Amino acid sequence: MVGGSVAYKAATSMPIILENGRKVFGPQRIPNAAIPTHRCELYVARIPPQLDELSFLVWLHRIGQVYEFRLMMNSCSSSRGFAYIRFMKEREALAGLEMLKYLYISGERLQVSPSEGKNRLFLSSIPRNIPISLLEESLKLYFPKMHRFAAYRPMKEELQGKGQEEVLNRGFAFVEFANHEDALEAKKRLTPCRVRMWGADLKVQWAKPREEKSRDPMAYRDFSTNDKIKDDCSRLRLYCLANNWCIPVILYGRSFRSRNLQYGAILLKNIFSGLHSIIIVEINVTSMSDIHLLLCELAVEMIERHSAIPPYSYIIRASSNTKAELVYLLQQSDDLYRANLEAEFYSFTAIRELLIALQLVAAHNSKIVLNMYKRAFLTHNPVATFCLGSNHPLGQFYAILPKFRNNPKLDNDFNDMEINLLLKVQEDVNTTDSVIETKTINEISAKQAIFKTEILFLKSQKIPKIKRLRYVDIEALISKECYDTQQYINSNPVWIAGQTYQDAIYN
């Protein structure tokens, strides 16, 4: 992975050619480097016509070194909506395959798959009395860029009842080229996909891609390994990574064990625009299995609904493990205080605290927040703590280990940093006078919260063998009750590694 400035330099240095209904960026010529095979190539469809090609190339170079990018164009020199991307290494293509699935361009998700690697032609209807050696010599004259040739001797069953001199081949052959471009050029010369040789019309069509062994020891054996179903915690991190958003901040608030209630929230933030969304949830934990996974599922639901960071903040009530109720959409940071919502929730104070605390976090630079979070673990205290630079009482937190749930690592060694916090509850804080001045998510100057009750159906709590997590409070932190058994530790770690998603896509 390369940084933004290096990626920009690499993208702008690629040569550009407009030819034969396509715009080609590259190929990049690297000394002593082999030309990447079709296993390094991806096919991308559903590309919006307003694609910013340079920005997209910079994004690709953050994944890995791009050898070539071919965007198909129509007669009006506008995009046909699909392209081919070839990386220098197979493991970079695998990373690109995974990351492109979660990228939004102009509110649309791309369709991406491994390229079929069409660099072989299949010739049939060949007269069977032509020797294979003569067949190869003749085809080499007809296809000057032929890289390899394959034809086969007749089988014993084909020779029975016939003279061996009459059947010298099996009637078909394969012509392989070094790359797809040479094969396409050769095929275009044939009209209509036939070649006249030895008094016969030889039919020419694309051959199925030949399976090749990976030459990259770091690459996976098969692209299909990337298609396994991801849990919502992984999907949330991949959405943030792919779209260059900040690390999501998961904040737990008050818990009421006598009422089986836990309050929690997630902050999603666009680092470039500063726009953010806060999703606050009142959770009835009676039938819940993992409230951490529940919060991630609701965040993913809202991202996919809007094809971006949601343009609102939300208050949601999760009453069972199968459904949740979207109670309010907030368009302004102070809508919550002007609406009469106290009767809707058991502890509206807990909701106000989470909203104010995450507004404070959103107002700070994301890199500073991450560094403060990591430094919090440099302590001998049983529970790590940190305080934001402001003196606001709701800017104080307990820091929870990034991997406290022992979630599986992301594929391709992607950056899987998390920020998990528990709010330090201050009983004497007057939240009604604590409106934080932040950049609003939506420019609509609404004066009241928008009431829109809607049922959201949950799936994450029905996963077999799910790890149980119902409460995250100071009691659970001290006793390590909220930690997965494989992450249980007796003291805080010496240090926590991790970078922002903007600094590093990979660990």
Side-chain angles (χ1 to χ4, degrees):
M1 198 281 299
V2 294
S5 59
V6 179
Y8 179 83
K9 183 178 180 180
T12 53
S13 65
M14 296 186 74
I16 306 175
I17 301 175
L18 186 61
E19 61 176 9
N20 296 332
R22 60 182 184 172
K23 184 182 288 187
V24 182
F25 296 81
Q28 291 274 37
R29 300 299 182 186
I30 301 175
N32 303 322
I35 296 177
T37 68
H38 77 274
R39 292 178 64 89
C40 301
E41 187 171 89
L42 303 176
Y43 168 76
V44 182
R46 296 180 61 184
I47 298 176
Q50 61 271 29
L51 173 72
D52 185 334
E53 296 157 6
L54 178 58
S55 297
F56 187 55
L57 272 174
V58 173
W59 186 92
L60 291 172
H61 274 281
R62 294 192 71 221
I63 300 292
Q65 191 167 14
V66 178
Y67 174 76
E68 187 179 54
F69 172 55
R70 306 191 305 275
L71 180 64
M72 302 300 118
M73 314 291 286
N74 58 25
S75 57
C76 300
S77 297
S78 58
S79 170
R80 293 174 59 188
F82 68 96
Y84 295 89
I85 304 165
R86 183 168 294 198
F87 290 90
M88 285 299 300
K89 299 178 181 178
E90 292 175 36
R91 62 176 179 269
E92 294 171 347
L94 283 165
L97 175 67
E98 177 82 342
M99 198 67 75
L100 281 164
K101 293 177 182 178
Y102 295 90
L103 176 67
Y104 285 110
I105 297 180
S106 301
E108 297 290 338
R109 286 180 69 178
L110 304 176
Q111 179 182 336
V112 57
S113 61
S115 174
E116 294 184 359
K118 292 182 177 180
N119 65 333
R120 294 200 307 159
L121 299 179
F122 176 74
L123 281 69
S124 57
S125 302
I126 298 175
R128 297 198 173 195
N129 61 344
I130 305 298
I132 291 178
S133 57
L134 177 60
L135 186 61
E136 181 178 6
E137 292 175 4
S138 302
L139 290 176
K140 195 166 187 178
L141 292 174
Y142 199 87
F143 300 111
K145 294 185 178 181
M146 185 176 76
H147 185 61
R148 291 176 186 167
F149 167 82
Y152 303 93
R153 297 183 181 278
M155 301 177 68
K156 291 182 179 180
E157 294 80 2
E158 297 177 291
L159 295 176
Q160 292 178 358
K162 298 182 180 180
Q164 293 189 14
E165 68 281 1
E166 296 179 358
V167 182
L168 301 177
N169 67 74
R170 295 178 62 182
F172 63 87
F174 294 92
V175 176
E176 183 174 340
F177 297 85
N179 51 57
H180 172 76
E181 290 70 27
D182 291 345
L184 182 63
E185 180 184 348
K187 192 172 184 295
K188 283 183 176 180
R189 291 174 51 197
L190 309 176
T191 306
C193 295
R194 293 182 182 274
V195 54
R196 184 75 178 177
M197 299 181 74
W198 304 293
D201 289 328
L202 278 59
K203 186 177 180 181
V204 182
Q205 56 190 353
W206 289 114
K208 291 183 179 180
R210 184 176 62 182
E211 290 297 324
E212 296 180 4
K213 292 184 178 181
S214 172
R215 295 187 296 178
D216 189 341
M218 297 298 292
Y220 292 102
R221 291 186 178 181
D222 197 325
F223 279 104
S224 62
T225 57
N226 257 33
D227 294 331
K228 62 185 180 183
I229 298 175
K230 299 281 189 301
D231 64 81
D232 288 299
C233 185
S234 298
R235 292 171 64 202
L236 175 60
R237 286 176 286 163
L238 285 168
Y239 273 124
C240 294
L241 266 174
N243 294 282
N244 214 9
W245 301 335
C246 297
I247 299 173
V249 178
I250 300 180
L251 175 63
Y252 293 95
R254 293 175 183 259
S255 65
F256 300 88
R257 297 198 177 214
S258 61
R259 295 278 182 168
N260 296 323
L261 291 177
Q262 171 75 57
Y263 289 84
I266 285 188
L267 169 66
L268 304 173
K269 180 182 175 182
N270 187 320
I271 190 172
F272 299 106
S273 65
L275 302 181
H276 63 269
S277 175
I278 298 172
I279 302 169
I280 305 172
V281 189
E282 179 187 73
I283 308 169
N284 186 324
V285 303
T286 304
S287 59
M288 296 297 176
S289 297
D290 188 338
I291 61 173
H292 188 80
L293 197 57
L294 169 68
L295 291 171
C296 293
E297 179 184 11
L298 292 171
V300 168
E301 167 72 22
M302 295 307 161
I303 289 172
E304 293 180 345
R305 174 176 297 197
H306 297 284
S307 301
I309 287 182
Y312 312 105
S313 289
Y314 300 89
I315 304 178
I316 299 173
R317 180 190 296 114
S319 54
S320 73
N321 62 356
T322 58
K323 65 180 181 180
E325 183 182 3
L326 196 162
V327 181
Y328 285 98
L329 308 182
L330 304 176
Q331 287 185 323
Q332 278 191 315
S333 60
D334 61 343
D335 282 339
L336 185 60
Y337 308 95
R338 300 185 182 187
N340 184 22
L341 307 180
E342 284 81 355
E344 294 287 338
F345 302 94
Y346 176 75
S347 176
F348 196 64
T349 298
I351 292 175
R352 286 197 295 252
E353 289 172 343
L354 288 170
L355 179 63
I356 295 169
L358 286 181
Q359 286 173 351
L360 280 168
V361 175
H364 283 72
N365 180 282
S366 59
K367 186 176 292 189
I368 293 175
V369 172
L370 177 60
N371 289 335
M372 294 173 66
Y373 171 69
K374 292 191 296 183
R375 286 201 301 267
F377 294 99
L378 298 172
T379 178
H380 295 293
N381 296 328
V383 179
T385 62
F386 82 89
C387 177
L388 292 176
S390 64
N391 294 322
H392 199 286
L394 291 177
Q396 301 179 42
F397 307 92
Y398 297 106
I400 309 172
L401 285 176
K403 299 295 184 182
F404 84 114
R405 296 306 298 151
N406 197 37
N407 293 319
K409 292 187 64 175
L410 298 179
D411 291 337
N412 305 297
D413 199 31
F414 285 137
N415 183 350
D416 54 1
M417 186 63 189
E418 300 178 12
I419 297 180
N420 301 306
L421 304 172
L422 170 63
L423 182 64
K424 269 191 173 183
V425 176
Q426 306 290 331
E427 297 297 342
D428 57 346
V429 175
N430 183 3
T431 58
T432 58
D433 298 327
S434 303
V435 179
I436 308 301
E437 294 295 332
T438 60
K439 187 172 183 179
T440 57
I441 296 172
N442 197 309
E443 298 300 330
I444 301 175
S445 58
K447 298 301 181 183
Q448 295 293 327
I450 298 176
F451 181 80
K452 184 180 180 182
T453 301
E454 182 180 346
I455 299 299
L456 306 174
F457 294 98
L458 306 176
K459 299 178 182 178
S460 64
Q461 305 303 297
K462 291 294 186 180
I463 299 175
K465 299 181 180 180
I466 193 172
K467 306 164 188 175
R468 188 168 295 278
L469 176 67
R470 291 185 174 179
Y471 296 103
V472 179
D473 51 21
I474 187 60
E475 177 185 336
L477 278 185
I478 294 175
S479 65
K480 306 298 182 183
E481 171 192 337
C482 60
Y483 280 74
D484 181 82
T485 53
Q486 296 185 32
Q487 289 292 316
Y488 185 91
I489 57 174
N490 294 321
S491 61
N492 288 307
V494 176
W495 58 279
I496 294 293
Q499 301 183 74
T500 66
Y501 291 169
Q502 288 69 45
D503 289 334
I505 287 181
Y506 302 103
N507 281 323

